[in-house]
Amino acid sequence: MTAVRREAFGRMPPEEGGGEVEKFVLQSDSVRVEILSFGCIIATLETKDRDGQFSDVVLGFDTLEGYMRKHPFFGAVVGRVANRIANGRFSLDGKEYQLFLNNGPNSLHGGAKGFDKVLWSAQVLPNGVRFFRLSPDGEEGYPGDLKVWVTYTLSGRELAINYQAQTSKTTPISLTNHAYFNLAGQGSRDVYDHEISIEADSYLPVDDTKIPTGEVAAVQGTGFDLRQPVELGKHLQKFHLDGFDHNFCLHQGQDRRLVARVFHPPTGRTMEVHTTQPGIQFYTGDNLDGSLKGKGAATYPKHSAFCLETQNWPDAINKPHFPNVLLHPGEEYNHTTWLVFSTA
């Protein structure tokens, strides 16, 4: 059984419309998660270690003010298009669209005010919560009125995140959740002792602004071969890597499949990622620099968390050979990602 509770979390400032932000607490025997109606943010995710002790394994803030300030998308749903679009530009049906540039020369995670920075309406479900918003035609430069539903459900050890959308005009869409994990517990110094595997035979090399070059490269014989578990710290050293911020290309298909697994030997915590999406961005928190004060006054230095963002491939709108990123009127965007927590 999952218990669901809703409570007040804070108020938006008057200049942002002053709406009330709620927190939804989903609790099973083995997982407790807190989700905000602001940005659909996973603010807390507590899971057991092998001794049955709960720890919060996601980075974030204690108050709404923390999330209102500039931060690297902790726990949020990002969109309309997750990841980067080169030069913030694309053309569609003979029309050019220019987006806001918020990541060097590129547009990242929806632009200046993406889905992570807005209030969603919420509906409590027996085992979770469903959020809804209408992204109006032209918001952040994107075409079409886009209706979006994000549904979190908790069942035992498994947190499911379902994304659905419908549009009035053809638009690119790629939604993900940007939670930062540390299975030792948030506020722990690094994730070097985590063992990770990703079920991908290929990945996308990127240019110096993190835009895919267009090549789909085999992982075989490279530092990107994570098909067998590697201990992260040793692996980065062995291949002289500063970290990961890359899309791994998953086996295509609409069915649920296991795509990544992370194991933390000291605590026994294990997290599996299952998804219907064609890609997963593995990011090792390279841009964290210890300047943000997080939950319980924790600081978050470089490599103190990892992200496994299930999504379409970055810049797919400008790369015809990448998986289709367009949603047409009359169609439904529908993807699910499952996070499964256990101990070993």
Side-chain angles (χ1 to χ4, degrees):
M1 275 297 293
T2 300
V4 184
R5 212 170 67 242
R6 73 192 296 172
E7 51 193 64
F9 185 70
R11 252 200 127 61
M12 301 280 282
E15 63 272 18
E16 296 281 344
E20 178 164 14
V21 177
E22 290 185 291
K23 174 169 80 175
F24 297 83
V25 184
L26 318 183
Q27 189 157 7
S28 70
D29 289 343
S30 43
V31 176
R32 182 178 175 279
V33 59
E34 298 180 358
I35 305 157
L36 308 181
S37 57
F38 178 72
C40 303
I41 288 169
I42 295 176
T44 300
L45 200 160
E46 295 176 359
T47 175
K48 286 178 179 174
D49 66 9
R50 66 165 66 87
D51 299 322
Q53 295 296 308
F54 279 94
S55 278
D56 183 4
V57 297
V58 295
L59 276 54
F61 302 102
D62 290 321
T63 63
L64 179 59
E65 289 70 46
Y67 291 109
M68 296 291 303
R69 289 196 291 269
K70 188 170 165 53
H71 67 93
F73 306 95
F74 286 150
V77 165
V78 293
R80 201 175 280 200
V81 175
N83 218 308
R84 293 169 179 87
I85 293 178
N87 304 309
R89 267 208 303 275
F90 61 90
S91 62
L92 198 51
D93 301 331
K95 189 177 171 197
E96 281 275 319
Y97 291 88
Q98 178 65 56
L99 310 172
F100 185 79
L101 305 181
N102 61 335
N103 186 247
N106 306 315
S107 183
L108 174 70
H109 294 328
K113 189 176 180 181
F115 290 2
D116 59 299
K117 297 182 185 72
V118 292
L119 202 50
W120 296 61
S121 60
Q123 172 196 358
V124 170
L125 306 175
N127 60 340
V129 58
R130 176 176 293 133
F131 297 104
F132 171 78
R133 82 174 294 254
L134 172 69
S135 172
D137 186 16
E139 181 173 65
E140 286 297 323
Y142 287 99
D145 284 332
L146 186 75
K147 292 178 177 172
V148 190
W149 295 264
V150 178
T151 307
Y152 290 91
T153 48
L154 180 62
S155 171
R157 302 179 293 116
E158 179 174 284
L159 179 67
I161 313 172
N162 173 256
Y163 307 90
Q164 288 166 280
Q166 297 163 355
T167 186
S168 65
K169 293 180 189 170
T170 301
T171 184
I173 180 174
S174 174
L175 301 176
T176 193
N177 178 284
H178 207 311
Y180 286 68
F181 294 96
N182 186 322
L183 298 185
Q186 75 87 28
S188 299
R189 207 172 42 118
D190 59 58
V191 289
Y192 297 144
D193 58 355
H194 289 50
E195 294 174 6
I196 181 144
S197 57
I198 298 177
E199 302 278 332
D201 299 327
S202 53
Y203 77 103
L204 301 181
V206 293
D207 67 17
D208 54 9
T209 73
K210 299 277 198 287
I211 291 288
T213 60
E215 180 193 0
V216 180
V219 299
Q220 182 75 40
T222 74
F224 294 86
D225 191 347
L226 304 176
R227 291 172 295 184
Q228 295 300 315
V230 302
E231 188 179 320
L232 192 56
K234 288 180 180 160
H235 185 81
L236 293 177
Q237 278 183 321
K238 177 182 174 184
F239 288 95
H240 307 292
L241 295 168
D242 189 44
F244 289 95
D245 192 2
H246 294 79
N247 179 83
F248 287 75
C249 308
L250 304 174
H251 301 293
Q252 304 292 299
Q254 279 301 296
D255 296 335
R256 170 179 176 159
R257 56 214 184 279
L258 171 65
V259 296
R261 189 170 183 274
V262 186
F263 172 52
H264 184 242
T267 61
R269 284 194 185 91
T270 301
M271 181 175 95
E272 288 179 357
V273 183
H274 304 243
T275 193
T276 58
Q277 290 275 22
I280 189 166
Q281 186 85 1
F282 178 37
Y283 174 51
T284 48
D286 308 354
N287 296 321
L288 297 174
D289 60 7
S291 63
L292 290 172
K293 270 273 193 288
K295 288 181 278 192
T299 54
Y300 300 135
K302 181 176 177 171
H303 296 162
S304 61
F306 65 88
C307 304
L308 287 165
E309 305 155 63
T310 52
Q311 57 190 43
N312 206 319
W313 299 6
D315 201 34
I317 186 70
N318 293 311
K319 308 269 198 300
H321 60 296
F322 282 10
N324 170 48
V325 72
L326 293 177
L327 179 68
H328 301 277
E331 297 175 345
E332 182 169 70
Y333 176 91
N334 194 335
H335 278 288
T336 307
T337 294
W338 296 264
L339 303 176
V340 184
F341 298 92
S342 59
T343 51

